[in-house]
Amino acid sequence: MFKDHEESTPCHTERLVGGTTVVELRGEIDLCTGPPLSARLDALTAGPFPDLVLDLRPVSFVDCSGLRALCRARNRVLARGGRLRLVTESARLLGILRCVGLGGAFEVLSRLPDGAVFAPHPGSAPHPGSVPVSVG
């Protein structure tokens, strides 16, 4: 049986830290959510020298549409002289990247780079540079 699309709709949060855009993705990146995510990543990589960190640690599933969105973002960043880093600890995702020949295509980190970490205090207002955005 098909599951409710609400469960697979990823959300993401964006924040600008210095000149780096940090995007935390959550949920599933699949056929339904990959295209809108790709459109958002296109906007984030439109200018010269984009510096983008995609935090994939909270992502539970990535299909070929998700891989396509990541590859498209990578190609756009490289064409504009920028940098793209993926943050993941998922052996499954790293294995998928290796299986499809993308094992060395991305700069992969196990944690956010220094200075890109933002942890709000409980009960505090959201960080002004942190904007929750629903994709899908």
Side-chain angles (χ1 to χ4, degrees):
M1 208 70 190
F2 294 103
K3 66 181 176 176
D4 182 12
H5 183 259
E6 293 271 327
E7 293 176 12
S8 69
T9 302
C11 254
H12 76 269
T13 305
E14 298 172 19
R15 65 187 176 277
L16 191 58
V17 180
T20 302
T21 302
V22 179
V23 181
E24 180 186 273
L25 297 160
R26 294 178 297 282
E28 298 182 359
I29 306 172
D30 58 19
L31 183 60
C32 294
T33 59
L37 172 61
S38 190
R40 183 63 194 138
L41 293 176
D42 281 358
L44 293 173
T45 59
F49 311 108
D51 188 6
L52 191 60
V53 173
L54 301 180
D55 186 355
L56 302 173
R57 292 176 298 174
V59 171
S60 59
F61 176 80
V62 178
D63 73 1
C64 60
S65 298
L67 292 176
R68 183 180 309 117
L70 295 178
C71 287
R72 180 174 172 84
R74 175 192 172 272
N75 292 342
R76 288 175 57 84
V77 165
L78 292 177
R80 289 162 177 79
R83 185 176 186 189
L84 172 67
R85 290 165 281 177
L86 305 181
V87 180
T88 184
E89 298 168 333
S90 170
R92 177 181 286 166
L93 177 57
L94 295 173
I96 290 170
L97 290 173
R98 279 191 301 274
C99 281
V100 299
L102 295 172
F106 294 95
E107 183 178 350
V108 179
L109 309 172
S110 60
R111 63 182 179 85
L112 288 173
D114 291 338
V117 178
F118 171 72
H121 298 287
S124 67
H127 186 274
S130 185
V131 181
V133 181
S134 180
V135 176

